[in-house]
Amino acid sequence: IPQEYQTALPILKKIEDAGFEAYFVGGSVRDVLLGHPIHDVDIATSAFPVEIKEIFPRTIDVGIEHGTVLVLDGDEQYEITTFRTESAYQDFRRPDHVEFVRSLEEDLKRRDFTINAFALKEDGEIVDLFDGLVDLENKVLRAVGNPHERFHEDALRMMRGLRFVSQLGFQLEAETFASIYENHALLEKISVERINIEFIKLLLGRYRQAGLEMFVETECYIYCPQLRRFGEGLLRFSELTDRQIEKEIHAWVLLIDQLGLAETEIRPFMKAWKCSNEIIRTTQAVFTGLQFRKTQMFTKQLLYTLGEEQAILTEELLPYFGLDNDVVAVQEQYHQLPIHSLHDLAISGHDLLAHVKRKPGKWMKEILTLCEQAVVEQVIPNEKKELLNYAAAAIEKKEC
Ligand code: ATP
Ligand code: MG
């Protein structure tokens, strides 16, 4: 039993002492059984939310209408969710109603895959109603119950299935696979934000190759934003290398690179995926940096423009193309730049005005940029006098 469960055991005990059932459930049980590290500990209980709030002094209502109460215990916090069934799925998305129930079995039945439907009791007993242990042993991903019905209830489960293939290297069980293929078009009903989360997890999986192959074979990709014409590109991406992708930005850059998108296509592509502006900007910068860095070393100017973080992100991508990289050297080179932003420049617009006695205007920004470049490229030192002379000369040259 891992440390995370040890520290949470008193929570289960307290619920049981109050006369209810409580179990560890969800992905953490699966990961414990696989010997993987766990991130979030989910607890399911027969107690209703109000009853949980009576048992624990410090709670937060994070999703009480879904039956989830956050229990604070020292520095730890636990999501405790009442056993529930989900009924009346319309429009292939999340359920309209959740109904709280007292039966663990009902709760486990609504879960997506057999390996996600274990419950682990305080005494170490594993509740395994759908032979998930056998599937775990055989590395098989199988929908709980009738896959066709389950994907109709919530089409996102198909994307979850594909990302588990990528994360775990499991095979889709034949009927589960057939059913995803059959229902792929239902993904259109799912919000892009939810698909995005699963897609990124798929791209970051240890078994990305297998995950992407299934993504293409089941034709789910056709119903994801902007990918309709990229079946081959996605397969090319899957064959890029076996190296796992560790960061979301890397995933986007590599995907865009392998799909053969042009720089100007990045923004609309990522907007369609509902990526944040910050992620889009970083992806654009790293993509541009990468195209350059694939064939030559960073210039001072490019390092300066990218900034340290983006330069490192770029350098880290080289091994995916079979190229050597040296992140430490890039860091050193960056730190050796004479300035790191316009702020560091030894003159300001103010100094410029005082020195050349012209009216303020657009020319100031232009001249400052010229000075900035000259300093970055070490054409002149970052000293006020030198810069003002350089600026005056540049203005004169422009005017004649
Ligand atoms: P991760 O390790 O990425 O957190 P997870 O399996 O724990 O994976 P969560 O989204 O944290 O995924 O969900 C916790 C559990 O809730 C799942 O293991 C599964 O039992 C259930 N679950 C989550 N989403 C769905 C869904 N769309 N349909 C059915 N059950 C779901
Ligand atoms: Mg989880």
Side-chain angles (χ1 to χ4, degrees), residues 89-103:
Y89 290 82
Q90 290 171 13
D91 64 20
F92 318 105
R93 293 199 287 242
R94 287 178 158 168
D96 303 347
H97 298 294
V98 307
E99 202 176 320
F100 302 148
V101 292
R102 299 286 189 187
S103 142

Side-chain angles (χ1 to χ4, degrees), residues 118-135:
F118 300 116
L120 182 64
K121 240 173 132 157
E122 182 227 331
D123 63 7
E125 187 202 331
I126 298 166
V127 179
D128 173 22
L129 303 180
F130 313 104
D131 291 330
L133 285 172
V134 177
D135 289 338

Side-chain angles (χ1 to χ4, degrees), residues 29-91:
V29 181
R30 171 199 73 222
D31 290 339
V32 166
L33 293 170
L34 285 167
H36 295 175
I38 62 179
H39 35 105
D40 40 296
V41 171
D42 294 319
I43 295 170
T45 180
S46 62
F48 288 1
V50 283
E51 292 163 333
I52 288 295
K53 288 165 73 169
E54 278 166 20
I55 299 172
F56 297 98
R58 294 166 59 218
T59 63
I60 301 175
D61 293 354
V62 284
I64 210 155
E65 67 287 359
H66 300 114
T68 303
V69 173
L70 195 68
V71 168
L72 308 176
D73 178 53
D75 293 337
E76 305 292 333
Q77 49 186 48
Y78 301 99
E79 278 199 358
I80 301 188
T81 305
T82 303
F83 296 156
R84 60 185 209 208
T85 58
E86 300 174 349
S87 55
Y89 290 82
Q90 290 171 13
D91 64 20

Side-chain angles (χ1 to χ4, degrees), residues 68 118 170 193 228 260 266 321 338 362:
T68 303
F118 300 116
F170 281 27
E193 288 87 345
R228 185 169 289 268
I266 296 177
F321 301 92
K362 222 173 68 191

Side-chain angles (χ1 to χ4, degrees), residues 26-27 30 39 110-112 116 154 157 160 163 201:
R30 171 199 73 222
H39 35 105
R110 69 161 174 97
R111 293 177 183 270
D112 48 6
N116 287 344
D154 180 359
R157 289 173 183 153
R160 283 177 55 87
R163 73 106 154 162
K201 287 185 180 177

Side-chain angles (χ1 to χ4, degrees), residues 151-284:
F151 297 138
H152 260 253
E153 286 167 359
D154 180 359
L156 184 75
R157 289 173 183 153
M158 299 189 284
M159 279 304 284
R160 283 177 55 87
L162 298 172
R163 73 106 154 162
F164 286 121
V165 168
S166 177
Q167 290 180 320
L168 305 174
F170 281 27
Q171 298 258 355
L172 288 171
E173 174 273 328
E175 228 187 297
T176 302
F177 171 88
S179 191
I180 295 180
Y181 180 78
E182 201 175 316
N183 291 297
H184 51 218
L186 294 181
L187 276 179
E188 259 173 357
K189 314 272 182 191
I190 300 296
S191 80
V192 170
E193 288 87 345
R194 292 177 80 204
I195 293 183
N196 180 317
I197 292 171
E198 301 303 326
F199 185 54
I200 290 299
K201 287 185 180 177
L202 190 164
L203 295 183
L204 299 186
R206 172 68 194 85
Y207 305 89
R208 177 184 73 245
Q209 211 159 5
L212 279 173
E213 270 169 29
M214 283 301 114
F215 186 49
V216 174
E217 264 188 54
T218 57
E219 294 183 4
C220 282
Y221 75 98
I222 295 176
Y223 301 91
C224 291
Q226 304 282 312
L227 293 180
R228 185 169 289 268
R229 61 191 176 90
F230 284 123
E232 272 175 30
L234 287 164
L235 288 179
R236 190 162 56 239
F237 182 25
S238 82
E239 285 158 13
L240 181 59
T241 80
D242 194 31
R243 179 182 285 263
Q244 187 169 5
I245 302 173
E246 320 248 344
K247 298 175 182 173
E248 177 173 354
I249 295 291
H250 285 165
W252 286 115
V253 173
L254 291 170
L255 172 70
I256 285 161
D257 184 80
Q258 293 301 295
L259 296 186
L261 294 187
E263 233 167 286
T264 52
E265 292 173 303
I266 296 177
R267 193 174 168 77
F269 182 84
M270 294 184 76
K271 272 279 163 198
W273 275 96
K274 302 258 162 106
C275 295
S276 71
N277 284 328
E278 195 194 332
I279 289 192
I280 295 176
R281 272 196 300 271
T282 309
T283 302
Q284 286 174 313

